[in-house]
Amino acid sequence: MRFTYAVPAGLLAASILFTGCASNNNDSNTSNNNSTNAANSTAATNTAAATTADFTSAVDQYRTYVIEQCDEFVKQTENFTNAVKEAKIEEAKALYAPARMYYERIEPIAEALGDLDPNIDARENDVEAAEWRGFHKLEKALWQDNTTKDMTEFADQLLKDAQLLRAKVEIVEIDANLLVTGAVELLNEVSSSKVTGEEERYSHTDLYDFVANVEGAQKIYELLKPELAKKDAELEKTIGERFAALQAELAPFKSGDGYVSYEELKEEDVRKLSQNLDALAEPLSNMGTILGV
Amino acid sequence: MKKQNRFTGLPANADSTPLNEDTKSNHILDKKLSRRDMLRLTGATSLGLLLGGGGVGGIMATRNTAAEPTIASDGDSIPFYGSHQAGILTPAQNFIYFAAFDLTTTKLADVKKLMQAWTTAAASLTTGSLIGDVNDNPNLPPSDTGEVDGLNPSRCTLTFGIGPSFFDNRFGLSSKRPTLLADLPAFTGDNLDPKWCGGDICVQACADDLQVAFHAIRNLARIARGTAVLRWTQEGFQRTGAADPKGATPRNLLGFKDGTGNPDTTNEAEMNNVVWNSSSDGPSWMSGGTYMAVRRVRFRIEVWDRSSLSDQEATFGRYRHNGAPIGAKDEFDDLNLKAADASGKPVIPPDSHSALAHGDGTVKMLRRSYSISSGLDIATGQLDAGLLFISFQRDLMKQFVAIQQRLSKSDRLNEYMTHTGSAVFACFPGIRKGGYIGEALLG
């Protein structure tokens, strides 16, 4: 499910460079389904009311983490888009996947910010052809068409979107509920698009995204761990073990500073990764136990 | 004389009248009703339902219940606990959802934990109650997936077994492997695809409702995450009780009655002889258990459909219409393999399916198969349909293997089918209340 956060318009207008793209005031573009579940859509507003423990520190630390990732994301995206604009194809290819990892680690936050996720991360067919922009548009040009022709505009736009994301995370509402659901959401991202090799269909760099999603979920788990250990030590231990098992399953596919092409994985490798992911996501989805009733 | 009470899988709810409101509300209230109350509430039309079905009438059904208390049932819930596992002698329900699992853990303690968790879940699944106790916490995923909330148990049975691979060196149990449990030898004409073979554990879910059977496997698989993963699954069906209120022998997808020659499941001595392990058969943890052979069989139905009726009947050695052996009148007439026509030719071809399967009549097994249909074979555009053959026996080698070796060599039917999947499992003895699946082995 996706969260819709009402970010006060005044705040945004003050700090944001509009990119001139039509903003259609709803985020039905974020693919999947918009939750109509009342229990979830109130998550943004009533936080402390529904919880017994104090998550102030976890939330603050998470915001710090998100901002760190975002800062790095903007920097790396700039290097990448510069390479595209200078028609340095090989350099752009090398910068592409590592830059995306900073985004993938905090994906649920981006998804909570309206149109930003589709603008940055939509795959072909996720949106109307005329609206398609962002990383995957450039990915297709680089890997499939082997050119940067006509991509300057999209490169500029992508950098602006990355900067916009960075501006918005300052004021995005974060609460314990978002942390819990965000962690599961990150693993669901892996399950639904990375495992299948659909995310990086031209570059086959899916493992970078896979690992980053898992790292993002693990960060949240680490932040909630003390509270979880108090509430359900067994669950906390299980989640820790399952993270370790998944990391061990991913380890053989490391290559230098990065990861092997997804095409190198055998069917059986993919299935095992997917099964380990499901085995982790199941207990992780019970982290909500710390939210009290 | 017409033998009664064959293993025909008479559905419990043989009359097509739905349960009346009184009964439904009592399911909902989950109130234990005495049989007398039930009779009073539902009227005699639901007699078959009350008595767990299995016979071809009330009297036979009563005998059934007396002989085999584990298949007595209130309403349409079949007891999960008992001296033997349900789903073996239980008259075949309308649907099956079969699942083979592989263990991903290497710790025996985890296996034991899984079996305990599965036992708790199975007790809920077979009575139609929600699994677990987290079904109304807004912050958590519900412990039951919910798709059978409010449905009747639909005679759901869950039957658990373990394959030969369970006894490799992962859990230190190799010394406990029964000698009777080993992978099947290769048979002539086998065309096995690894994706439908083997498994450390099997769960056979059967129910009169496919959604109920699916829900059971789905939830057991969910509980197993991190300890075991699904290796292969196969759903299957047969004609429903509504379509065949009389509960005649079901027909396979080749149009022939399948199960006519099955031993009598109400005959305890026969079942002890054919199906159940005794303490003298092997390790004590298997006493009261049985061995299961599972074969996924693809029928070449397009080819079959082009065969003349007389070819088809010669292939089976029986008439299609009534299932009687060729030359006989009634489905349950004995196979007279010595009968010859005027020219001295056997009336029933010696290489017909029935003749070979019957042999000299001394070797029997309890078959409990279902039809399968899994979409198209994309390569040919033909239907991927056939049979999920399942048999239960005391001794795989002496029973299933002996018969299958005869069949695989010369059965006329081989022209129209191919075996694509294969597995064997040791099905545990029954589970006592307070105990868990496989307790005698896992301690």
Side-chain angles (χ1 to χ4, degrees):
Chain A
M1 58 151 304
R2 313 261 153 171
F3 293 94
T4 55
Y5 283 84
V7 180
L11 276 172
L12 287 183
S15 62
I16 283 161
L17 327 146
F18 277 107
T19 52
C21 69
S23 168
N24 52 5
N25 291 335
N26 69 49
D27 58 5
S28 59
N29 274 355
T30 50
S31 72
N32 287 12
N33 55 344
N34 276 301
S35 171
T36 50
N37 181 333
N40 293 319
S41 58
T42 53
T45 43
N46 58 2
T47 54
T51 59
T52 46
D54 180 15
F55 294 106
T56 317
S57 153
V59 167
D60 286 350
Q61 289 181 72
Y62 188 64
R63 187 183 298 281
T64 307
Y65 170 76
V66 168
I67 290 172
E68 280 169 8
Q69 293 297 312
C70 256
D71 282 338
E72 202 54 37
F73 176 57
V74 172
K75 213 186 299 178
Q76 304 274 346
T77 302
E78 186 163 16
N79 294 343
F80 168 68
T81 51
N82 284 343
V84 170
K85 290 196 299 191
E86 291 160 23
K88 294 176 178 164
I89 292 181
E90 288 316 306
E91 190 181 324
K93 281 183 177 179
L95 292 169
Y96 169 83
R100 288 179 45 77
M101 287 183 87
Y102 296 96
Y103 180 83
E104 292 286 346
R105 286 188 195 104
I106 56 161
E107 200 165 8
I109 295 287
E111 282 167 1
L113 293 169
D115 279 344
L116 275 174
D117 183 48
N119 289 349
I120 292 171
D121 200 29
R123 295 159 312 172
E124 202 172 10
N125 310 334
D126 279 350
V127 290
E128 295 291 326
E131 309 261 308
W132 190 36
R133 56 201 261 196
F135 270 106
H136 295 299
K137 179 105 183 172
L138 299 172
E139 178 205 4
K140 187 180 184 183
L142 290 169
W143 271 275
Q144 183 164 297
D145 307 333
N146 210 20
T147 177
T148 54
K149 190 173 167 291
D150 301 332
M151 286 296 130
T152 300
E153 176 199 348
F154 293 105
D156 285 337
Q157 216 172 28
L158 174 60
L159 181 58
K160 276 190 193 144
D161 287 334
Q163 290 161 338
L164 185 58
L165 173 71
R166 172 62 189 85
K168 280 188 175 186
V169 294
E170 292 282 347
I171 44 144
V172 68
E173 293 247 26
I174 300 177
D175 63 8
N177 202 319
L178 174 72
L179 294 189
V180 168
T181 45
V184 178
E185 183 73 14
L186 278 158
L187 297 191
N188 292 350
E189 285 287 335
V190 182
S191 269
S192 20
S193 62
K194 277 76 175 193
V195 156
T196 54
E198 288 167 72
E199 180 81 11
E200 306 290 358
R201 60 191 73 164
Y202 314 108
S203 65
H204 305 296
T205 55
D206 304 82
L207 275 175
Y208 290 77
D209 302 1
F210 190 132
V211 170
N213 282 158
V214 172
E215 285 171 350
Q218 190 153 9
K219 177 70 186 182
I220 293 172
Y221 158 71
E222 299 290 347
L223 292 175
L224 297 178
K225 200 168 152 172
E227 201 51 47
L228 194 56
K230 268 188 255 169
K231 191 99 183 189
D232 189 341
E234 172 112 9
L235 178 65
E236 187 270 302
K237 183 168 155 277
T238 304
I239 296 173
E241 285 169 358
R242 305 267 170 97
F243 266 117
L246 181 59
Q247 302 287 19
E249 208 62 48
L250 284 163
F253 305 113
K254 276 205 165 85
S255 164
D257 290 339
Y259 294 88
V260 301
S261 161
Y262 209 66
E263 286 187 304
E264 286 188 31
L265 273 64
K266 298 185 195 72
E267 258 181 38
E268 191 187 338
D269 297 330
V270 171
R271 192 175 61 241
K272 273 186 103 166
L273 283 173
S274 172
Q275 286 168 334
N276 272 279
L277 188 86
D278 285 342
L280 163 63
E282 193 64 45
L284 195 78
S285 71
N286 281 306
M287 280 206 307
T289 189
I290 59 173
L291 299 175
V293 182
Chain B
M1 186 199 116
K2 179 172 170 174
K3 276 191 233 166
Q4 296 273 28
N5 210 344
R6 292 283 168 172
F7 190 72
T8 56
L10 174 70
N13 198 0
D15 61 62
S16 52
T17 352
L19 290 174
N20 67 25
E21 285 311 309
D22 281 330
T23 322
K24 273 195 197 150
S25 60
N26 274 297
H27 273 297
I28 292 158
L29 294 171
D30 204 11
K31 201 170 85 180
K32 268 282 185 228
L33 288 176
S34 73
R35 181 151 297 162
R36 185 174 305 175
D37 284 341
M38 287 286 285
L39 276 169
R40 202 167 37 75
L41 285 167
T42 59
T45 47
S46 292
L47 188 67
L49 171 86
L50 301 177
L51 299 175
V56 278
I59 295 163
M60 298 314 300
T62 315
R63 213 187 81 191
N64 217 342
T65 333
E68 185 54 69
T70 54
I71 55 174
S73 59
D74 269 330
D76 66 352
S77 173
I78 293 177
F80 171 67
Y81 297 103
S83 53
H84 301 298
Q85 287 196 78
I88 297 167
L89 301 193
T90 311
Q93 298 93 323
N94 295 340
F95 298 100
I96 189 171
Y97 205 95
F98 185 89
F101 288 85
D102 277 342
L103 288 157
T104 51
T105 184
T106 49
K107 296 192 200 112
L108 189 58
D110 288 348
V111 180
K112 188 172 157 178
K113 235 190 266 178
L114 173 65
M115 290 302 180
Q116 287 166 329
W118 271 2
T119 304
T120 308
S124 297
L125 290 165
T126 51
T127 51
S129 32
L130 289 179
I131 293 178
D133 50 8
V134 188
N135 284 302
D136 47 14
N137 180 334
N139 292 319
L140 291 173
S143 47
D144 187 295
T145 57
E147 69 267 39
V148 301
D149 193 353
L151 301 189
N152 295 331
S154 308
R155 299 174 67 236
C156 178
T157 56
L158 295 164
T159 313
F160 297 84
I162 44 180
S165 55
F166 188 91
F167 295 94
D168 60 17
N169 45 24
R170 281 172 297 170
F171 307 106
L173 290 174
S174 42
S175 64
K176 299 231 172 150
R177 182 177 68 85
T179 41
L180 296 177
L181 180 67
D183 284 325
L184 296 172
F187 298 104
T188 314
D190 272 3
N191 196 4
L192 303 180
D193 186 328
K195 74 178 177 199
W196 290 308
C197 291
D200 291 339
I201 306 177
C202 80
V203 186
Q204 174 195 266
C206 294
D208 282 337
D209 184 284
L210 185 53
Q211 186 147 314
V212 168
F214 170 81
H215 168 264
I217 295 298
R218 173 187 178 183
N219 282 266
L220 295 177
R222 183 183 176 200
I223 289 166
R225 260 168 222 157
T227 310
V229 292
L230 283 167
R231 179 185 173 97
W232 62 278
T233 65
Q234 181 62 57
E235 63 202 68
F237 57 93
Q238 58 162 332
R239 86 294 180 260
T240 62
D244 186 9
K246 287 203 183 71
T249 310
R251 293 178 185 273
N252 60 29
L253 297 183
L254 301 181
F256 279 70
K257 292 179 178 247
D258 193 342
T260 304
N262 251 339
D264 180 357
T265 54
T266 65
N267 180 333
E268 206 174 334
E270 174 100 313
M271 290 301 101
N272 287 335
N273 185 34
V274 175
V275 177
W276 304 123
N277 263 235
S278 68
S279 46
S280 63
D281 286 323
S284 58
W285 66 261
M286 264 302 280
S287 185
T290 181
Y291 292 97
M292 176 201 255
V294 189
R295 306 281 286 179
R296 190 183 189 276
V297 184
R298 165 93 183 267
F299 287 159
R300 298 190 178 103
I301 58 176
E302 291 81 0
V303 177
W304 177 257
D305 295 344
R306 298 195 281 267
S307 317
S308 70
L309 179 61
S310 65
D311 268 357
Q312 292 186 3
E313 291 181 334
T315 300
F316 269 100
R318 292 180 175 274
Y319 297 120
R320 187 173 92 150
H321 172 64
N322 62 1
I326 296 176
K329 291 267 186 303
D330 183 88
E331 181 190 347
F332 296 104
D333 287 349
D334 287 337
L335 277 173
N336 182 356
L337 301 179
K338 294 196 178 71
D341 62 13
S343 65
K345 230 174 65 189
V347 173
I348 299 173
D351 57 353
S352 66
H353 184 72
S354 295
L356 285 169
H358 183 267
D360 62 4
T362 54
V363 179
K364 293 178 179 165
M365 56 191 176
L366 178 64
R367 284 168 294 147
R368 204 175 183 278
S369 305
Y370 282 85
S371 293
I372 58 176
S373 161
S374 301
L376 292 188
D377 174 347
I378 296 300
T380 60
Q382 295 177 318
L383 284 164
D384 179 11
L387 188 76
L388 186 66
F389 171 95
I390 295 177
S391 68
F392 294 100
Q393 50 268 304
R394 262 173 85 185
D395 186 321
L396 286 163
M397 284 307 287
K398 286 184 189 157
Q399 293 167 275
F400 173 78
V401 174
I403 295 170
Q404 184 54 29
Q405 272 170 337
R406 283 202 302 265
L407 291 170
S408 64
K409 283 197 186 84
S410 33
D411 187 359
R412 282 190 185 208
L413 198 52
N414 293 339
E415 187 185 338
Y416 305 104
M417 67 180 189
T418 176
H419 287 232
T420 54
S422 176
V424 290
F425 299 98
C427 294
F428 296 112
I431 297 102
R432 57 172 185 88
K433 263 212 163 90
Y436 67 90
I437 300 155
E439 186 175 20
L441 170 67
L442 303 168

